[in-house]
Amino acid sequence: MSSLHLGKGSIKPAEIEGQARLYSMKFCPYAHRIRLILSIKKVPHDIVNINLKNKPEWYLEIHPEGKVPAFVDADGKVVVDSTEIANYIDKKYPLPELYHEETKSRDLELLEHYSKIIDIFSNCIHGKDSRTLDEIVDEISNLLEEFEDELKMRDTDFYGGNEPKMLDILMWPWIERAKSLSVIYKQPLNVNKQRFSKIMKWISEMRAQQFVQENACSYEKFGQLINEMKSSDVDFDAI
């Protein structure tokens, strides 16, 4: 395993026979999704971090686009794209199950709707949204109404019921990083918490989960990363 972010000129770490591997970047929310899945499933694996600003030549043989995450299963099968990897792992390593059959279609629909929030967040961190932070928060809040109503309708702490399931996990990395917008925009993040009482409770319950704590990402450090990427060649390992 390499905790450092490997770049050009590096040597690919030797694979461990019979063990899966996740190619990651420690601040990437998409890779964070898979670390959470692997943790809750207790799948034996190692993690190799990739310097996304200076990608190793050998990594392009694994993922020609050079993106993370990429998952290499114990049998050598390579899977890319975070949702594809999550569903692959859930099928290959079935316990604990991360979908309820009676809510799976709705969960997938909500996940598709959540991608709108991810797109807004992505535009913010890449400087592609010229609106004020308050305007951005207003739009995200309007989109989150559906998720607040869903928790009210299900009358559960988690979208998965009494414990986190796939939708909870795949949503979480952006929730954990939400406050980084205050670091990036250098102003307070004004959210009407009373409007989202169920989501606030959900956040509290998610933070209490051991697998979430084991894979936590500091929003301050994420915000620092984004700011440094705008001005210089970022040193992922120094943050």
Side-chain angles (χ1 to χ4, degrees):
M1 173 179 175
S2 171
S3 60
L4 299 177
H5 291 76
L6 302 182
K8 285 183 181 179
S10 65
I11 298 173
K12 177 184 174 184
E15 296 173 359
I16 301 173
E17 186 176 354
Q19 182 167 291
R21 170 172 288 176
L22 174 66
Y23 289 96
S24 180
M25 189 274 275
K26 70 178 182 178
F27 298 106
C28 173
Y30 294 99
H32 190 182
R33 282 175 158 179
I34 308 309
R35 293 199 303 273
L36 292 168
I37 297 284
L38 291 169
S39 183
I40 199 170
K41 294 273 190 181
K42 299 188 182 340
V43 177
H45 68 283
D46 70 347
I47 295 175
V48 173
N49 287 316
I50 300 298
N51 184 330
L52 296 180
K53 300 286 281 185
N54 186 32
K55 300 164 188 173
E57 297 85 350
W58 52 263
Y59 184 60
L60 299 177
E61 298 176 8
I62 297 167
H63 194 324
E65 294 181 63
K67 297 179 180 179
V68 295
F71 179 72
V72 182
D73 206 352
D75 61 4
K77 181 178 177 62
V78 179
V79 189
V80 299
D81 180 84
S82 64
T83 53
E84 293 292 331
I85 297 170
N87 287 318
Y88 170 83
I89 294 172
D90 190 48
K91 185 175 180 180
K92 176 75 179 286
Y93 303 90
L95 296 177
E97 294 179 338
L98 294 183
Y99 286 110
H100 294 302
E101 284 306 314
E102 62 271 24
T103 60
K104 183 175 181 179
S105 62
R106 176 58 174 159
D107 289 347
L108 294 174
E109 181 181 41
L110 286 167
L111 187 60
E112 179 65 25
H113 295 177
Y114 193 71
S115 66
K116 298 175 184 177
I117 295 174
I118 293 174
D119 287 344
I120 294 169
F121 189 86
S122 178
N123 286 336
C124 289
I125 67 176
H126 291 105
K128 296 179 180 180
D129 196 322
S130 61
R131 294 176 296 170
T132 67
L133 181 55
D134 285 342
E135 289 173 322
I136 292 163
V137 169
D138 282 345
E139 183 180 5
I140 292 174
S141 295
N142 289 335
L143 292 169
L144 281 174
E145 282 281 8
E146 180 180 17
F147 295 86
E148 175 73 10
D149 292 343
E150 190 71 24
L151 282 174
K152 288 177 181 176
M153 186 273 292
R154 296 188 185 193
D155 194 25
T156 55
D157 287 342
F158 302 100
Y159 293 95
N162 295 325
E163 57 189 1
K165 297 292 185 182
M166 187 67 81
L167 180 58
D168 301 280
I169 293 168
L170 296 187
M171 287 174 60
W172 182 251
W174 287 268
I175 298 296
E176 194 168 272
R177 289 162 176 76
K179 287 185 179 180
S180 67
L181 292 178
S182 65
V183 178
I184 296 165
Y185 283 79
K186 297 179 174 60
Q187 64 184 83
L189 188 66
N190 297 315
V191 178
N192 184 348
K193 294 183 179 181
Q194 291 182 338
R195 182 180 176 186
F196 300 107
S197 59
K198 291 291 290 185
I199 289 178
M200 291 300 112
K201 188 172 191 302
W202 171 73
I203 291 172
S204 177
E205 295 292 337
M206 283 292 288
R207 289 193 190 282
Q209 301 298 307
Q210 182 177 350
F211 79 101
V212 171
Q213 294 173 2
E214 290 171 348
N215 295 280
C217 176
S218 159
Y219 78 84
E220 294 98 338
K221 289 187 176 182
F222 183 79
Q224 178 186 347
L225 167 73
I226 298 305
N227 286 335
E228 290 190 10
M229 287 181 72
K230 293 175 182 177
S231 59
S232 62
D233 291 331
V234 61
D235 184 349
F236 298 101
D237 300 316
I239 296 176

